[in-house]
Amino acid sequence: MLIVMHHNAGKRQIEAVIKAVERMGFSAAPIPGSERTAIGVLGNKGYVDDAAVRDLPGVQEVIHVSKPYKLVSRDFHPRNTVVKAGGLEIGAGRRPVVMAGPCAVESEEQILRTARAVKAAGAQMLRGGAFKPRTGPHTFQGLKEEGLKLLSRAAREAELPFVTEVMSPDTVALVAEHADLLQVGARNMQNFDLLRELGRIRKPVLLKRGLSATIEEFLAAAEYILAEGNPGVILCERGIRTFETATRNTLDLAVVPLIRELSHLPIVVDPSHATGRRSLVAPMAKAALVAGADGVMIEVHPDPEKALSDGPQSLTLQGFEKLMEEMGRLMDFLAGPK
Amino acid sequence: MLIVMHHNAGKRQIEAVIKAVERMGFSAAPIPGSERTAIGVLGNKGYVDDAAVRDLPGVQEVIHVSKPYKLVSRDFHPRNTVVKAGGLEIGAGRRPVVMAGPCAVESEEQILRTARAVKAAGAQMLRGGAFKPRTGPHTFQGLKEEGLKLLSRAAREAELPFVTEVMSPDTVALVAEHADLLQVGARNMQNFDLLRELGRIRKPVLLKRGLSATIEEFLAAAEYILAEGNPGVILCERGIRTFETATRNTLDLAVVPLIRELSHLPIVVDPSHATGRRSLVAPMAKAALVAGADGVMIEVHPDPEKALSDGPQSLTLQGFEKLMEEMGRLMDFLAGPK
Amino acid sequence: MLIVMHHNAGKRQIEAVIKAVERMGFSAAPIPGSERTAIGVLGNKGYVDDAAVRDLPGVQEVIHVSKPYKLVSRDFHPRNTVVKAGGLEIGAGRRPVVMAGPCAVESEEQILRTARAVKAAGAQMLRGGAFKPRTGPHTFQGLKEEGLKLLSRAAREAELPFVTEVMSPDTVALVAEHADLLQVGARNMQNFDLLRELGRIRKPVLLKRGLSATIEEFLAAAEYILAEGNPGVILCERGIRTFETATRNTLDLAVVPLIRELSHLPIVVDPSHATGRRSLVAPMAKAALVAGADGVMIEVHPDPEKALSDGPQSLTLQGFEKLMEEMGRLMDFLAGPK
Amino acid sequence: MLIVMHHNAGKRQIEAVIKAVERMGFSAAPIPGSERTAIGVLGNKGYVDDAAVRDLPGVQEVIHVSKPYKLVSRDFHPRNTVVKAGGLEIGAGRRPVVMAGPCAVESEEQILRTARAVKAAGAQMLRGGAFKPRTGPHTFQGLKEEGLKLLSRAAREAELPFVTEVMSPDTVALVAEHADLLQVGARNMQNFDLLRELGRIRKPVLLKRGLSATIEEFLAAAEYILAEGNPGVILCERGIRTFETATRNTLDLAVVPLIRELSHLPIVVDPSHATGRRSLVAPMAKAALVAGADGVMIEVHPDPEKALSDGPQSLTLQGFEKLMEEMGRLMDFLAGPK
């Protein structure tokens, strides 16, 4: 931590800050500059609350060097983590995985047909929503437990593991009983009770980045899960909220290599929610692979016109098959001799 | 709903869209323009999912006229709502209320001293956090149930009602037993299971706007609570996340008169979290009153230097007393003969 | 400047950074921490380019303590500046000024009628656009030089000074010949050639904040004008661009007291462009006064329905008269014995 | 244009709106809905100012269907445009071009050495800044005309065309005399006098997207250049400003395929400014190619540690050579039989 003093802070104010730092149990190293003095704080283990100094007279700014996460950090865990989900291995340079399926489970016929089709096209995991978070209460909220059972059956028939969202701590056990990978949606990235509950189970977690979460907050959210004892977290970039409204969100693809530098956890990309437009899904899925993603998550629906949610961003079965062929060639190319 | 066709959409494409609209149970009114055709959708009650038309060939854009909320809307409920919390009446032109207290309950002495001081200065409600959502798991997370009891005792002694945050559905009953007003924090604005649970209790709810929530999403979140049967919701603007980092968040004060137009619910402002800087709290609190807020929520700490969270934005007891005097005069002025 | 090293940066890397700092002509003070080492840079006068160290091996982050501005800073110029424009004094606690008029000058009749009306209502300065920056080239771009002459005539008749926008360096002389205060629009806040040209004239400048300009960039833009020798700059907050689309922009009112802390320059607020909705202009204008603004800028049009630009945010003459009465009482209150 | 009426708008208000539309010279088609009435506006050619109706009683919202651009739109010009710059052909499926060089020209030795190296590595165009826009006036502002001459010489020696920024209308002629492609920087995207001046020359223009420009504004800015008669515009995505500060800007890569849908103009990507971090440049450059970019623009410096600007995001000569090899293989793959 570094405490920057005001231009005209006096000797006494500087000494008061030094004493406050020492009262916190740390030592203080003043660094006199030509325009102002800064005071380094030494001896802390990890992130320090700056409350005790931030508002002292003469203090202009407090700059944090330590981060609010540690277990997820590459600094403290240099080797890439491989997350296992339903027999699949994700991360650490393994061939990227493709998770595919409808936004929401709507009927047995719909999910079964989709599961078989995405399996045939080469997807390694089925996705589908049973518990659906929706902006307003008057739209379709998912088939809930019934949806979970339909998903289970479809996944079993198609011989695919599956991932589905869990929305509250008290349904974690239920969802964990069926799903191979539990998804935390963007709106729940900082639902800390949910994260803690997920930290106590043995199934891996797919954590989606919040709409306006910084990378630091994203990694700190993952830290909640690891801190409770569950090391199996896969991060998922799914677009952030910006001023631009031409796309549903803004896909922040540069976080893929950046998170690779900061963390050992796998990172996958969801181009469907990030863009909200079917025509942009394929180019962004392929761009994600080139950027180094450990996988992609694609919305597919046998009849997008009639989808109860997110139809405009869902690929048709044919569209998905074509994308799988393109991604397959691209993965071969990327895996090839460099 | 309005469906805008591409410049070069042909007759057949237009007819296919009209048929799709009719299959949805609505009627379609084509509006031919000089450059392109638009198709109005008639007969819908409320918001319509556009999935069935959005991806048809020739469709350029789908524009929604209906909103994802109804019960919170002034359109359907023209008279202002007064929310009663612990004997207080909030909203509908009542004199604005001041809620004050520390970010977090830290000790019996701290909360009791603060409660007495804010009462003496004229505050009408005590605030304080027992369950604290924090970015990372390694910092102080609140005293939890113990904090709730300390809050209850301090509020009783100071003869003030109190508001405190509830973070998960399974603690709603516990918090509702003690608190007069239950707060939903910004990170939980779209924790829909929590909102639904709060819709089923008899105590009023203070709903904070999410960091990147649009006004439409904010009102739709309140709709979840009203839709379950609880009409007592107070909205709270507490700053949104923008590119500007000089303040903690950006206080979006124009939402106060705007929400007044759109909704009948009371709206209060939290200038402490919005700005994150003690020196900006007083000017923004007063600006909020002039903008028409039904109340303000102010962080106060007897010793901000030693606060376990949010020290830099907390007023001292003296600072709060001074602000109360200023706000009192301003409220008198605003209530005076216009 | 503070250079933060990686967790596992070795001794050699630290020494290489120290040498690089010394090559830049500064001295380096290493601060060893428990997790990592930071290196303070001493002896710099003002902002330092970090290029020579930022990319050295082992460097994690470079933190700047100095700012890209100096002349506009309160640190170096503690007393408030009063800017004189056409006989008016703005800033330093003077009674706030009201600048009012149409977005664009459209005709002699329109500007003359507006000028007389705003004068009668108590405005101290006329505003109006002759050179209009518009998103696309196919809409009304202003009456240009002709508009300037109409403005001059109307201002003279109404006995008001006037402010108008200048869009390019080569029209600065022309505009300065007529106007009492030259406005730089939000889109041109970082048009540095224009700023430099304005630094060389004797007329004062109203500098609007860019749509996505940080406070630091805003003040650095003003620094361009002061650095060329023109001390007469008035800052203007007019809303920033955020994800929220319910208002045209997001009025960032907390910058008023914040800029007051950071700079000695006057700051005014434009609630018309900030909100883009007539009904929000009056509450936000009054909130701006309470927040400490040195003035407000209000769009007024005798017939907003027929305005060639920005009609929806323009007050009618009657609406403006009413707002002036309300603001007058509020200014009296604010000036009164505290 | 579509005018949406309030829920409770009466017959008279609807009639008044219809009359206002007719006074504007258009015809009005009322579309009665179950909750409210909407009124379609027919007969307009292009974008219509909504001022005359937006503020009529009973009007809730005005929705624009037409766009503020036309010449740049694929609607009106379906075939891709190829822009020729110094013998190169850019766009319309040509093999992507690589523009490379330092942020700023610093010395003859520096630019010459870089020019030769990027040519040897396979770049097809040299980039370098002579006129440099900088946040504050106290940092290096470029070598200006001298820099232009050094660039010319280096480009000639290396047998490469070159692109460089022009900052003001009065230097357009000078820059056009030397450069093969004139760059408009992000801060000047809405410097309309500059755009108009560039519309009058015969050299092509590289238009960078503004920090907070929507795609609509970006295309409308290009429209200014085409409207004056210059059809040679290349668009450049270089990152937008968001709340995320871990990267310099947020690269919005989805605009590449989206602009491809909306416009016939070529689009290139600048991953150096978008990310601001050397380690992210290569993955994002390659991702841009996969997303369909017509070229990339890369900052390269022989000695980034000593660069006078943007060192941290510049590749070394070796780093660039390696990236060129990787991009070469990727372009071969992408061009290969699909």
Side-chain angles (χ1 to χ4, degrees):
Chain A
M1 197 164 75
L2 184 81
I3 302 159
V4 181
M5 303 298 294
H6 273 298
H7 176 60
N8 54 5
K11 212 176 167 179
R12 270 202 198 169
Q13 293 179 332
I14 292 169
E15 277 164 13
V17 170
I18 291 172
K19 275 195 190 139
V21 169
E22 290 169 354
R23 269 200 305 274
M24 290 161 76
F26 308 129
S27 52
I31 321 168
S34 63
E35 283 180 9
R36 63 189 80 237
T37 292
I39 297 166
V41 176
L42 314 179
N44 58 307
K45 309 251 178 258
Y47 193 82
V48 176
D49 247 334
D50 60 17
V53 293
R54 180 131 190 192
D55 50 350
L56 289 179
V59 171
Q60 183 184 284
E61 209 176 345
V62 177
I63 295 165
H64 292 278
V65 173
S66 301
K67 298 292 181 191
Y69 53 82
K70 186 166 173 174
L71 300 173
V72 305
S73 158
R74 190 173 285 283
D75 260 17
F76 293 90
H77 185 304
R79 287 184 54 193
N80 283 326
T81 286
V82 176
V83 174
K84 291 181 190 174
L88 274 179
E89 295 198 338
I90 300 168
R94 303 291 189 277
R95 188 173 174 96
V97 299
V98 179
M99 310 173 187
C103 177
V105 180
E106 294 163 7
S107 69
E108 178 160 13
E109 195 270 337
Q110 171 243 22
I111 187 64
L112 194 53
R113 191 174 156 206
T114 310
R116 284 173 182 151
V118 301
K119 168 79 178 190
Q124 292 106 314
M125 193 179 279
L126 178 66
R127 62 145 291 160
F131 297 90
K132 297 299 305 169
R134 302 299 299 273
T135 299
H138 307 309
T139 38
F140 176 62
Q141 310 271 319
L143 296 179
K144 304 202 170 79
E145 190 165 351
E146 171 64 16
L148 213 50
K149 286 177 189 161
L150 294 179
L151 258 173
S152 271
R153 207 173 311 157
R156 214 164 39 233
E157 289 230 15
E159 298 185 354
L160 284 174
F162 78 96
V163 54
T164 197
E165 179 162 353
V166 57
M167 281 176 66
S168 63
D170 61 327
T171 44
V172 164
L174 172 69
V175 178
E177 199 184 304
H178 291 87
D180 301 284
L181 179 60
L182 282 77
Q183 176 178 319
V184 178
R187 294 175 180 87
N188 276 321
M189 192 201 83
Q190 291 192 316
N191 183 337
F192 300 122
D193 282 319
L194 177 60
L195 298 179
R196 268 189 287 254
E197 191 63 32
L198 288 166
R200 296 182 199 117
I201 62 168
R202 293 305 190 89
K203 289 272 177 82
V205 178
L206 182 96
L207 178 66
K208 288 197 151 189
R209 183 181 183 187
L211 259 79
S212 65
T214 62
I215 289 184
E216 187 166 307
E217 291 168 340
F218 190 16
L219 292 176
E223 183 87 1
Y224 268 91
I225 302 173
L226 271 73
E228 293 290 330
N230 185 348
V233 174
I234 300 169
L235 303 167
C236 179
E237 160 65 24
R238 45 75 73 209
I240 56 173
R241 180 162 279 181
T242 71
F243 63 85
E244 177 60 77
T245 56
T247 44
R248 181 169 175 178
N249 294 291
T250 297
L251 178 61
D252 184 8
L253 206 52
V255 304
V256 172
L258 183 53
I259 281 185
R260 187 78 72 223
E261 292 174 24
L262 298 173
S263 175
H264 53 91
L265 296 175
I267 170 130
V268 303
V269 170
D270 173 350
S272 304
H273 282 87
T275 64
R277 284 173 172 246
R278 183 176 307 129
S279 63
L280 305 180
V281 170
M284 288 304 106
K286 290 182 282 181
L289 295 178
V290 172
D294 295 304
V296 291
M297 199 168 190
I298 309 282
E299 283 194 2
V300 179
H301 194 285
D303 196 356
E305 294 182 34
K306 296 193 185 128
L308 295 179
S309 62
D310 288 350
Q313 71 198 30
S314 295
L315 297 189
T316 59
L317 301 182
Q318 295 75 3
F320 178 67
E321 204 183 320
K322 181 164 174 290
L323 173 58
M324 283 302 290
E325 286 168 20
E326 292 171 9
M327 289 199 297
R329 277 195 297 272
L330 184 56
M331 288 185 208
D332 289 343
F333 168 77
L334 294 171
K338 294 184 187 181
Chain B
M1 199 164 75
L2 184 81
I3 301 160
V4 182
M5 303 299 292
H6 275 297
H7 177 59
N8 53 7
K11 213 175 167 182
R12 270 203 196 167
Q13 292 178 332
I14 292 170
E15 277 164 12
V17 170
I18 291 172
K19 276 196 188 138
V21 168
E22 290 169 352
R23 269 199 307 272
M24 290 161 76
F26 308 129
S27 52
I31 320 165
S34 64
E35 282 180 7
R36 63 190 80 234
T37 292
I39 297 165
V41 175
L42 313 179
N44 57 307
K45 310 252 177 255
Y47 194 82
V48 176
D49 248 335
D50 59 17
V53 293
R54 179 130 192 191
D55 49 348
L56 289 180
V59 171
Q60 183 183 284
E61 211 176 343
V62 177
I63 295 165
H64 291 277
V65 174
S66 302
K67 299 292 182 191
Y69 53 83
K70 184 166 175 174
L71 301 172
V72 305
S73 159
R74 190 173 286 283
D75 259 18
F76 294 89
H77 185 304
R79 288 185 54 193
N80 283 325
T81 286
V82 176
V83 174
K84 292 182 190 173
L88 275 177
E89 295 198 337
I90 300 169
R94 305 290 190 276
R95 188 173 173 97
V97 299
V98 179
M99 311 172 187
C103 178
V105 181
E106 294 163 7
S107 70
E108 178 159 15
E109 195 271 336
Q110 172 243 24
I111 187 64
L112 194 53
R113 192 174 155 206
T114 310
R116 284 174 181 149
V118 301
K119 169 78 177 188
Q124 294 108 312
M125 193 179 279
L126 179 65
R127 59 146 291 158
F131 297 89
K132 298 297 306 169
R134 302 299 299 273
T135 300
H138 307 309
T139 40
F140 177 62
Q141 310 272 319
L143 295 180
K144 306 201 166 82
E145 191 165 351
E146 171 64 16
L148 213 50
K149 287 177 187 162
L150 293 178
L151 258 173
S152 270
R153 208 174 308 156
R156 214 165 40 235
E157 288 230 16
E159 297 184 355
L160 283 173
F162 78 95
V163 54
T164 197
E165 178 161 353
V166 57
M167 281 175 66
S168 63
D170 61 329
T171 46
V172 163
L174 172 70
V175 177
E177 198 184 306
H178 293 87
D180 300 285
L181 180 61
L182 281 79
Q183 176 179 317
V184 177
R187 293 177 181 88
N188 276 321
M189 192 201 83
Q190 292 192 317
N191 182 336
F192 300 120
D193 282 317
L194 177 60
L195 299 178
R196 268 189 287 252
E197 190 63 33
L198 288 165
R200 296 181 198 118
I201 63 168
R202 293 304 190 90
K203 290 273 176 82
V205 177
L206 181 97
L207 179 65
K208 289 197 150 189
R209 181 181 183 188
L211 259 80
S212 63
T214 61
I215 290 184
E216 187 166 307
E217 290 168 340
F218 191 15
L219 292 174
E223 183 89 0
Y224 268 92
I225 302 172
L226 271 74
E228 293 290 329
N230 186 347
V233 174
I234 300 169
L235 302 167
C236 179
E237 160 64 24
R238 44 78 71 207
I240 56 174
R241 180 161 277 180
T242 71
F243 64 84
E244 177 61 78
T245 56
T247 45
R248 182 168 173 177
N249 294 291
T250 297
L251 179 61
D252 183 9
L253 207 51
V255 303
V256 172
L258 183 53
I259 280 184
R260 188 78 71 223
E261 292 174 22
L262 299 173
S263 176
H264 53 91
L265 296 175
I267 169 133
V268 304
V269 171
D270 172 351
S272 305
H273 281 88
T275 65
R277 284 173 171 246
R278 182 176 306 127
S279 62
L280 305 180
V281 170
M284 288 305 104
K286 292 183 282 184
L289 295 178
V290 171
D294 295 304
V296 290
M297 198 169 194
I298 309 282
E299 283 195 0
V300 179
H301 195 284
D303 196 356
E305 295 182 33
K306 295 193 185 130
L308 294 180
S309 63
D310 287 349
Q313 72 197 32
S314 295
L315 297 189
T316 59
L317 302 182
Q318 295 75 3
F320 179 67
E321 205 184 318
K322 182 165 174 289
L323 173 58
M324 283 302 290
E325 287 168 21
E326 292 171 10
M327 288 199 297
R329 279 195 297 272
L330 184 57
M331 289 186 207
D332 289 344
F333 167 78
L334 293 171
K338 296 185 186 183
Chain C
M1 198 164 77
L2 183 81
I3 301 161
V4 182
M5 303 298 293
H6 275 296
H7 177 59
N8 54 6
K11 214 176 166 180
R12 271 204 197 168
Q13 292 178 334
I14 293 169
E15 276 165 14
V17 170
I18 292 172
K19 275 196 188 138
V21 170
E22 290 170 353
R23 269 199 307 273
M24 290 160 76
F26 308 129
S27 51
I31 320 166
S34 63
E35 283 180 7
R36 61 190 81 234
T37 294
I39 297 165
V41 175
L42 313 179
N44 58 307
K45 311 250 178 257
Y47 193 82
V48 176
D49 248 335
D50 59 18
V53 292
R54 179 128 193 194
D55 49 350
L56 289 180
V59 172
Q60 182 183 285
E61 211 176 343
V62 177
I63 295 164
H64 291 277
V65 174
S66 301
K67 299 290 181 191
Y69 53 83
K70 185 166 176 175
L71 300 172
V72 304
S73 159
R74 190 172 286 283
D75 260 18
F76 294 89
H77 184 304
R79 288 186 52 194
N80 283 325
T81 286
V82 176
V83 173
K84 292 181 190 173
L88 276 177
E89 294 198 338
I90 300 169
R94 304 290 190 277
R95 189 175 173 95
V97 298
V98 179
M99 311 172 188
C103 178
V105 181
E106 294 163 7
S107 70
E108 178 159 14
E109 195 270 336
Q110 171 243 23
I111 187 64
L112 193 53
R113 192 174 156 206
T114 309
R116 284 173 180 151
V118 302
K119 169 79 178 188
Q124 294 108 312
M125 193 179 279
L126 179 65
R127 61 146 289 159
F131 297 90
K132 298 296 306 169
R134 302 299 298 275
T135 299
H138 307 308
T139 39
F140 177 61
Q141 310 271 319
L143 295 179
K144 305 203 167 81
E145 190 165 352
E146 171 64 16
L148 213 51
K149 287 177 187 161
L150 294 178
L151 259 173
S152 272
R153 208 174 309 157
R156 213 164 41 234
E157 288 230 16
E159 298 184 355
L160 283 173
F162 78 96
V163 54
T164 197
E165 178 162 354
V166 57
M167 281 176 64
S168 63
D170 61 327
T171 45
V172 165
L174 172 70
V175 177
E177 198 185 306
H178 292 88
D180 300 285
L181 179 61
L182 282 78
Q183 176 179 318
V184 177
R187 293 178 181 86
N188 275 321
M189 193 201 82
Q190 292 193 317
N191 183 336
F192 300 121
D193 282 318
L194 176 60
L195 299 178
R196 269 189 285 253
E197 191 63 31
L198 288 165
R200 296 181 198 117
I201 63 169
R202 293 305 190 91
K203 290 273 177 82
V205 177
L206 181 96
L207 179 65
K208 290 198 150 187
R209 181 180 183 187
L211 260 79
S212 62
T214 62
I215 290 184
E216 187 166 306
E217 290 168 341
F218 191 15
L219 292 174
E223 182 89 0
Y224 268 92
I225 302 172
L226 270 74
E228 293 290 329
N230 185 348
V233 174
I234 299 169
L235 302 167
C236 179
E237 161 64 25
R238 42 77 73 208
I240 56 174
R241 179 161 279 181
T242 71
F243 63 84
E244 178 60 78
T245 56
T247 45
R248 182 168 173 177
N249 294 292
T250 297
L251 179 60
D252 183 9
L253 208 51
V255 303
V256 173
L258 183 53
I259 281 183
R260 188 78 72 227
E261 292 174 24
L262 298 173
S263 176
H264 53 92
L265 296 175
I267 170 130
V268 304
V269 171
D270 171 351
S272 305
H273 282 87
T275 64
R277 282 174 173 246
R278 184 177 306 128
S279 62
L280 306 180
V281 170
M284 288 304 105
K286 291 183 282 183
L289 295 178
V290 171
D294 295 304
V296 290
M297 198 168 193
I298 309 283
E299 284 196 1
V300 179
H301 194 284
D303 196 356
E305 295 182 34
K306 295 193 184 130
L308 294 180
S309 62
D310 287 349
Q313 72 198 31
S314 295
L315 297 188
T316 59
L317 301 182
Q318 296 74 3
F320 180 66
E321 206 183 318
K322 181 164 175 290
L323 172 59
M324 283 302 290
E325 288 168 20
E326 293 171 9
M327 289 199 296
R329 278 194 297 273
L330 184 58
M331 288 186 208
D332 289 345
F333 167 77
L334 293 172
K338 293 186 187 180
Chain D
M1 198 164 74
L2 183 82
I3 302 161
V4 181
M5 302 299 292
H6 274 298
H7 176 60
N8 54 7
K11 211 175 168 181
R12 271 202 197 170
Q13 292 179 332
I14 292 170
E15 277 165 11
V17 169
I18 292 171
K19 275 195 189 138
V21 169
E22 290 170 352
R23 268 200 307 275
M24 291 160 76
F26 308 129
S27 51
I31 320 168
S34 62
E35 283 180 8
R36 63 190 80 236
T37 293
I39 297 165
V41 176
L42 314 178
N44 57 308
K45 310 251 177 257
Y47 193 82
V48 175
D49 249 333
D50 60 17
V53 294
R54 179 129 190 193
D55 50 350
L56 288 179
V59 171
Q60 182 184 283
E61 211 175 344
V62 178
I63 295 164
H64 291 278
V65 174
S66 301
K67 299 291 180 191
Y69 53 83
K70 186 166 173 176
L71 301 172
V72 305
S73 158
R74 189 173 287 283
D75 260 17
F76 294 90
H77 185 304
R79 285 186 55 193
N80 284 324
T81 286
V82 176
V83 174
K84 292 181 190 173
L88 275 178
E89 295 199 338
I90 300 169
R94 305 291 190 275
R95 189 174 174 98
V97 298
V98 179
M99 311 173 187
C103 179
V105 180
E106 295 164 6
S107 70
E108 179 159 12
E109 195 269 338
Q110 171 243 22
I111 187 64
L112 194 54
R113 192 173 152 207
T114 310
R116 283 174 183 151
V118 301
K119 169 78 179 189
Q124 294 105 314
M125 193 179 279
L126 179 66
R127 60 146 290 160
F131 297 89
K132 298 297 307 170
R134 302 299 298 273
T135 300
H138 308 309
T139 38
F140 177 62
Q141 311 270 319
L143 295 179
K144 304 201 167 83
E145 190 165 352
E146 171 65 15
L148 214 51
K149 287 177 187 160
L150 294 179
L151 259 173
S152 272
R153 208 175 308 157
R156 215 165 38 236
E157 289 230 14
E159 297 185 353
L160 284 173
F162 79 94
V163 54
T164 198
E165 179 162 353
V166 58
M167 282 175 64
S168 64
D170 60 327
T171 45
V172 164
L174 172 68
V175 176
E177 198 184 306
H178 293 87
D180 300 285
L181 179 60
L182 282 78
Q183 176 178 319
V184 177
R187 294 177 180 86
N188 275 322
M189 192 202 81
Q190 291 192 316
N191 182 336
F192 300 120
D193 281 319
L194 177 60
L195 298 178
R196 269 188 285 254
E197 190 63 31
L198 288 166
R200 295 181 199 118
I201 62 168
R202 292 306 190 89
K203 289 273 176 84
V205 177
L206 182 96
L207 178 66
K208 288 197 151 188
R209 183 181 182 186
L211 258 80
S212 63
T214 61
I215 289 184
E216 187 165 308
E217 290 168 340
F218 191 17
L219 292 175
E223 183 89 359
Y224 268 92
I225 302 173
L226 271 72
E228 293 291 329
N230 185 349
V233 174
I234 300 169
L235 302 167
C236 180
E237 160 66 25
R238 44 76 72 207
I240 57 174
R241 180 161 279 181
T242 71
F243 63 84
E244 177 60 77
T245 56
T247 45
R248 182 169 175 177
N249 295 291
T250 296
L251 178 61
D252 183 9
L253 206 52
V255 303
V256 172
L258 183 53
I259 281 184
R260 186 78 70 225
E261 292 174 23
L262 299 172
S263 175
H264 53 91
L265 296 176
I267 169 129
V268 302
V269 170
D270 172 352
S272 306
H273 282 88
T275 65
R277 284 174 172 244
R278 183 177 306 127
S279 62
L280 305 179
V281 170
M284 288 304 106
K286 290 182 283 182
L289 295 179
V290 171
D294 295 304
V296 290
M297 199 170 191
I298 310 282
E299 283 194 2
V300 179
H301 195 284
D303 196 356
E305 295 182 34
K306 296 194 184 127
L308 295 179
S309 62
D310 287 349
Q313 72 197 31
S314 295
L315 297 189
T316 58
L317 301 183
Q318 294 76 4
F320 179 67
E321 205 183 318
K322 181 163 174 289
L323 173 58
M324 284 301 291
E325 285 168 20
E326 292 171 9
M327 290 199 296
R329 276 194 298 272
L330 184 57
M331 288 187 209
D332 288 344
F333 167 77
L334 294 171
K338 295 182 187 182

